[in-house]
Amino acid sequence: MFKIGCHLSTEGGYLSMGKRILSIGGNTFQYFTKNPKGGRVNKVPDMNDVAALYELIKSEGMTMPLAHAPYTYNPASKDEAVRNYSRDSMRGELEFLENLPGSLYNFHPGCHVQQGVEVGVDFIADMLNHVLWEGMQTTVLLETMAGKGTEIGRSFEELKMIIDRVDPAFREYLGVCFDTCHTSDAGYDVIGDFDGVLKEFDRVIGIDRLRAIHLNDSMNVPSSHKDRHAKIGEGNIGIDAITKIINHPMISDRPFYLETPNELDGYEREIALLKEKRI
Ligand code: FE
Ligand code: FE
Ligand code: ZN
């Protein structure tokens, strides 16, 4: 089965997102756990609504959704208050996700801001050692980053450093979300040699850790370190490379999530196009 969906607004609640993705031809979706730019008040979710979404997912044979952490978290910050806020919020979200067992949860590893990669990586691994627990039902994903500013996760090696510093008992709950725009912007040859990029991922991290794909075209050229998503086929990656990505045998069973600059109708068209291109 082609597991395909897009980022959805949480407006209307949980069941509403499940119905919305089905209505545009998808079978999984991504959503922000909170307002992505922050905001202090986290609306208390209606547990009946959450349960209704879970029922729908099961009855329709959908793939469990991917919850995306807000951009305000920076587990690599030199400010202890920011680190603690990121840790405590993430732990709360992961506890909540036990109500949607089998969920994926994705976060940006963070920015080290002048402290250096080593220090940042230690802080991130330390946070993971506090928010993960044995027996949890969610898989937590580190996202591949474009390398804007001091972002950690610009290379597979940096993600591997984090994973290696997490308690071995918790590593089974860890994976990577491969963002096609970010990895191209970071300098990997996603356009010309996606097969080679995946082999490199496998060599450095292990392909089993790759649990989800953010499927985006890029407004910028490879190695730009910019992170500007484009619509499918309208950026530098292009539809030919994207067709290879969704059909690559090493990852074709993973869920693909669009984060392209679109409203719902645009996503509907992209999902239809990708289904056409899927072998
Ligand atoms: Fe992201
Ligand atoms: Fe992404
Ligand atoms: Zn991005």
Side-chain angles (χ1 to χ4, degrees), residues 3 28 63-66 102-106 137-144 163 170-179 198 201 205-214 250-257:
K3 298 170 183 162
T28 186
T63 295
M64 287 303 291
L66 169 58
S103 282
L104 298 170
Y105 178 91
N106 173 68
Q137 301 187 75
T138 300
T139 303
V140 175
L141 309 180
L142 298 151
E143 182 164 351
T144 61
I163 295 166
F170 299 150
R171 283 185 207 154
E172 66 183 275
Y173 309 109
L174 266 189
V176 172
C177 176
F178 187 106
D179 188 307
L198 279 190
F201 186 102
I205 301 179
I207 202 70
D208 289 350
R209 292 261 181 226
L210 200 164
R211 297 295 173 83
I213 296 96
H214 279 164
M250 283 169 88
I251 56 160
S252 56
D253 64 338
R254 311 298 208 273
F256 293 83
Y257 299 92

Side-chain angles (χ1 to χ4, degrees), residues 71 108 143 145-146 148 179 181-182 214 216 227-229 259:
Y71 299 142
H108 296 181
E143 182 164 351
M145 302 309 292
K148 209 172 27 165
D179 188 307
C181 167
H182 297 177
H214 279 164
N216 302 309
D227 188 3
R228 299 273 316 278
H229 302 188
E259 300 178 306

Side-chain angles (χ1 to χ4, degrees), residues 190-219:
V190 169
I191 302 169
D193 184 20
F194 184 66
D195 183 66
V197 174
L198 279 190
K199 284 183 177 140
E200 175 73 358
F201 186 102
D202 190 34
R203 185 183 67 76
V204 176
I205 301 179
I207 202 70
D208 289 350
R209 292 261 181 226
L210 200 164
R211 297 295 173 83
I213 296 96
H214 279 164
L215 192 64
N216 302 309
D217 213 322
S218 174
M219 286 192 188

Side-chain angles (χ1 to χ4, degrees), residues 4-16:
I4 179 73
C6 64
H7 187 89
L8 291 180
S9 151
T10 52
E11 199 74 52
Y14 286 85
L15 179 60
S16 156

Side-chain angles (χ1 to χ4, degrees), residues 41-222:
V41 187
N42 193 12
K43 235 185 9 185
V44 180
D46 170 356
M47 296 317 291
N48 289 324
D49 184 33
V50 174
L53 169 65
Y54 192 68
E55 293 264 300
L56 182 76
I57 289 169
K58 294 295 144 190
S59 68
E60 296 287 336
M62 299 165 76
T63 295
M64 287 303 291
L66 169 58
H68 195 306
Y71 299 142
T72 44
Y73 297 178
N74 183 9
S77 174
K78 70 174 169 209
D79 182 344
E80 193 183 357
V82 174
R83 291 200 307 277
N84 290 348
Y85 164 75
S86 307
R87 180 197 63 205
D88 296 347
S89 307
M90 201 177 285
R91 174 74 191 203
E93 288 168 358
L94 290 172
E95 284 173 5
F96 166 74
L97 284 175
E98 292 295 294
N99 295 293
L100 288 168
S103 282
L104 298 170
Y105 178 91
N106 173 68
F107 74 103
H108 296 181
C111 296
H112 63 75
V113 205
Q114 291 5 308
Q115 302 173 98
V117 172
E118 272 292 324
V119 173
V121 161
D122 264 340
F123 281 146
I124 298 161
D126 182 59
M127 181 201 67
L128 286 167
N129 285 326
H130 282 89
V131 303
L132 303 175
W133 69 92
E134 278 184 77
M136 68 188 293
Q137 301 187 75
T138 300
T139 303
V140 175
L141 309 180
L142 298 151
E143 182 164 351
T144 61
M145 302 309 292
K148 209 172 27 165
T150 63
E151 273 175 352
I152 297 173
R154 62 174 67 206
S155 68
F156 301 152
E157 282 80 4
E158 288 185 5
L159 296 176
K160 171 71 169 158
M161 281 168 74
I162 299 168
I163 295 166
D164 282 347
R165 292 178 199 189
V166 170
D167 186 331
F170 299 150
R171 283 185 207 154
E172 66 183 275
Y173 309 109
L174 266 189
V176 172
C177 176
F178 187 106
D179 188 307
T180 55
C181 167
H182 297 177
T183 42
S184 176
D185 285 15
Y188 289 98
D189 191 8
V190 169
I191 302 169
D193 184 20
F194 184 66
D195 183 66
V197 174
L198 279 190
K199 284 183 177 140
E200 175 73 358
F201 186 102
D202 190 34
R203 185 183 67 76
V204 176
I205 301 179
I207 202 70
D208 289 350
R209 292 261 181 226
L210 200 164
R211 297 295 173 83
I213 296 96
H214 279 164
L215 192 64
N216 302 309
D217 213 322
S218 174
M219 286 192 188
N220 293 100
V221 293

